[in-house]
Amino acid sequence: MSGADAVRTEALSKRYRRDTALRAVSLRVPETAIYVLAGANGAGKSTVMKVLMNLERADEGTAEVLGMDSVRCGPQARAQMGYVPEDARHPYGWMSSSQLLAHIAAYHRSWDVSYADRLRRTFELRLDRKVGTLSKGEARRLQLILALAHRPAVLLLDEPTDGLDPVVRSRTLAVLAEHLADGPTSVLVATHQIHEFETLADYVGILRDGSLIAQLSRDELPNVVGRYRVEVPEGWTATRELRSAGVRGNPVREAEWTLVGHRGDLIDRLTVTGALVHSVRPVSFDDAVVALIAHQVTP
Amino acid sequence: MMPATTGLTPRLRHVLAAQLRATGAALRGPAVVAGVSFALLTVLVLIERADNSARVIAFHPEHQVLPGLLGLLLPFGVWRGEAPFGRGVLWTLPVDRRTHALAKVFAGWAWLMALVTLLVCWLLALVVASDGQVLAEEVRRIAPTAATARSGSLGPDAAAFVHTSAQPLLWLVPFTASTGTYLFASALALGTRRPLAWVSGVVGGTLLLVTLAEAANADDLLRQIDGGLKALFYGRYGVDTLLTARTESLQGSATLSNGDTVVVWSALPDLTQWAVATAIWIAAGLASLWAAAFRHREARPSSRWSARFLAGKDAVGRQSQQGIRLNGRKVEQ
């Protein structure tokens, strides 16, 4: 692998009986980058993370973390990773939070006790309570401490803010930002709350039905998704390609659409059909990702 | 700042210590219940002793089936909260999966040995409290043949009396018996998705086979099943030899011609037989456990069926890769 990739998968495929979870997914998370993995429920986001943790075995393809194969060097790769799973509840419900922290700390030689304590205070987590009695939000906060306190080089966050109230959610994002500023950390985050990572994200990948249909840097996003103001002649109808890019309805004179595709290609296609593009405005990160999820990307 | 120790896997002794603590925490609830039960039992024994002060309790930990039962049930407490084929906390930690599973089994075994030691000490305390002697010589009534012992009645001269001295080596039976059952139960808990379904299936299947054989009057088959089960449980190297050094199957009660009921032995426990049976069962348990842990190794294969199915769907894969290549170029720009 190139030295610049913290996480790299090559043609990763995974099936559960007759359901395809991943289809030849080749994903790259450059070192120190924050990569948002987006997609509808069941698109395969969690499966990618499980394969990276070697919790699930891929049927085909490879997964690497910091150049280490997630299967052949599983323990070494996991030592470099902090993982927040999709399910907020921790199975060791009989342990107290302090016992669980001590238990996980024993496995990480880089565990930072003072940092763990600082995180605990920031998240206002009571350590004497049994893990099984924690609310979903509290359990999620505990998982975040477990993932961050050994200061891993790679963070795998599966819906990290799910179940958190707005105040804690904003505090969590602040903690994450502070954590990332404190040391070189690469992050792969699967989330439906795209707007939460708008200021942090460097890259975005879109999974649909197990296929990685788009993978691009934040800088590239405005060139691929934009808000097009278009004037069309009377009786104008969109071509199939334009419809797949996001053109909707049969406008009479003017219309505005959020379209997915290379700007130059789209302008050419619109012009060929007689439409006149007045302006192309950038859309928010959130809207761009939603548009990518919703529309079929064409070469 | 990233610490210099980032990415280092833990030392094995730290993993073992962590598993000992975690397993201890998981077993704390059942241990408290067991402790209260034994406290009540102690009170009952002491009350009974006060009523019948002439009764002396002999020290025979090898007669106890409880350690074997404890070994059978303990793995379900040890693996509490873990789903070896699902979301296992164990697998998310930076330790080789197979080593980690075996470390957990070892931690459970260490607690098991501690519990069995407590049990043996409790028995010893009862013996001492009843003025019994631990190393006292005993007199045993031996029937001339096993058939005589099983008949349930004895003539006045049908049994010989044998003076036996204590065999301290047999005090190891609770430890070896619980180890043997613990290894098999751990292999079941670790190596199968639904251990209870497997146990129910084997028991139910055997019962069904017996019922069908009876319905079809298949006497040969019935004899074979009966012989097989007897060999498994009460044979020279059977389960009973592992659990009690055959002290359960070798002794029975018989009614004398004067109406008294006495304990009669068909033979005395054979230490060599017990040692061989223990070695066989523990070796088989270790092999089963190794096979169960092997299922969870890091480089375990995925479903071959899935791989074959995917191979037939390469057209879909190619289509996906085209899209990725297009966008992958952008990342590298």
Side-chain angles (χ1 to χ4, degrees), chain A residues 57 78 89 92 107 215, chain B residues 82 87 100 298 300 327:
Chain A
R57 185 85 168 89
R78 288 195 292 277
R89 301 254 171 226
Y92 289 178
Y107 284 88
Q215 176 170 241
Chain B
E82 292 286 355
R87 190 190 161 203
H100 210 178
E298 292 285 341
R300 63 211 178 280
N327 297 301

Side-chain angles (χ1 to χ4, degrees), chain B residues 126-170:
Chain B
L126 286 185
V127 172
V128 173
S130 71
D131 298 330
Q133 287 189 349
V134 175
L135 295 168
E137 192 178 74
E138 289 180 58
V139 180
R140 284 181 177 167
R141 195 186 300 261
I142 311 288
T145 62
T148 315
R150 279 197 299 271
S151 68
S153 61
L154 278 177
D157 302 321
F161 291 95
V162 175
H163 289 260
T164 60
S165 55
Q167 290 181 299
L169 213 55
L170 281 180

Side-chain angles (χ1 to χ4, degrees), chain A residues 1-298:
Chain A
M1 90 171 237
S2 77
D5 286 337
V7 173
R8 183 184 179 111
T9 70
E10 209 58 70
L12 211 58
S13 298
K14 174 73 186 170
R15 290 187 66 84
Y16 296 105
R17 296 180 189 274
R18 297 195 71 82
D19 297 325
T20 302
L22 298 175
R23 294 171 200 266
V25 171
S26 296
L27 179 145
R28 314 266 181 279
V29 180
E31 272 185 6
T32 71
I34 299 175
Y35 187 115
V36 171
L37 192 58
N41 288 332
K45 303 185 294 294
S46 299
T47 307
V48 169
M49 299 209 172
K50 286 177 186 168
V51 170
L52 288 166
M53 291 289 291
N54 200 18
L55 298 175
E56 295 283 0
R57 185 85 168 89
D59 296 314
E60 285 181 358
T62 57
E64 289 179 352
V65 176
L66 299 171
M68 292 176 286
D69 186 279
S70 67
V71 175
R72 286 199 303 274
C73 308
Q76 292 78 12
R78 288 195 292 277
Q80 300 270 15
M81 285 190 276
Y83 175 51
V84 172
E86 187 181 21
D87 188 359
R89 301 254 171 226
H90 199 284
Y92 289 178
W94 69 89
M95 276 190 182
S96 67
S97 300
S98 61
Q99 278 177 320
L100 184 59
L101 281 169
H103 179 65
I104 302 298
Y107 284 88
H108 294 287
R109 289 158 76 173
S110 56
W111 188 269
D112 186 337
V113 178
S114 61
Y115 183 47
D117 192 51
R118 186 148 56 89
L119 288 171
R120 199 263 311 159
R121 275 186 272 112
T122 307
F123 287 135
E124 294 172 352
L125 198 69
R126 280 179 53 193
L127 292 182
D128 56 339
R129 288 183 58 192
K130 295 276 183 202
V131 173
T133 65
L134 298 178
S135 68
K136 189 179 177 186
E138 288 169 322
R140 183 57 91 193
R141 279 178 269 166
L142 178 62
Q143 281 180 333
L144 280 162
I145 299 174
L146 296 174
L148 296 175
H150 62 103
R151 297 187 180 277
V154 176
L155 277 173
L156 302 183
L157 309 175
D158 199 349
E159 301 291 351
T161 57
D162 183 37
L164 300 180
D165 64 57
V167 174
V168 177
R169 187 172 287 197
S170 126
R171 205 177 294 164
T172 302
L173 292 168
V175 164
L176 264 180
E178 192 186 325
H179 182 90
L180 299 175
D182 210 21
T185 311
S186 314
V187 184
L188 176 62
V189 56
T191 183
H192 291 301
Q193 311 296 329
I194 309 294
H195 63 278
E196 292 177 350
F197 292 89
E198 183 153 5
T199 55
L200 296 173
D202 298 312
Y203 291 88
V204 64
I206 309 294
L207 274 172
R208 186 194 293 148
D209 298 332
S211 296
L212 189 68
I213 58 165
Q215 176 170 241
L216 56 164
S217 74
R218 188 195 181 91
D219 297 339
E220 288 295 314
L221 211 50
N223 293 333
V224 177
V225 186
R227 189 76 179 158
Y228 290 71
R229 195 164 72 80
V230 179
E231 186 181 328
V232 296
E234 201 172 323
W236 184 86
T237 52
T239 60
R240 200 167 61 85
E241 289 86 0
L242 287 172
R243 286 191 187 283
S244 70
V247 170
R248 294 284 174 267
N250 292 308
V252 179
R253 285 198 58 167
E254 276 198 1
E256 260 196 29
W257 299 295
T258 299
L259 300 184
V260 177
H262 295 294
R263 185 181 293 187
D265 289 351
L266 281 173
I267 291 173
D268 286 348
R269 282 176 188 173
L270 284 162
T271 309
V272 165
T273 62
L276 181 66
V277 178
H278 281 301
S279 65
V280 182
R281 286 184 289 114
V283 295
S284 69
F285 181 75
D286 190 14
D287 288 342
V289 172
V290 170
L292 282 167
I293 293 171
H295 299 136
Q296 182 68 51
V297 180
T298 51

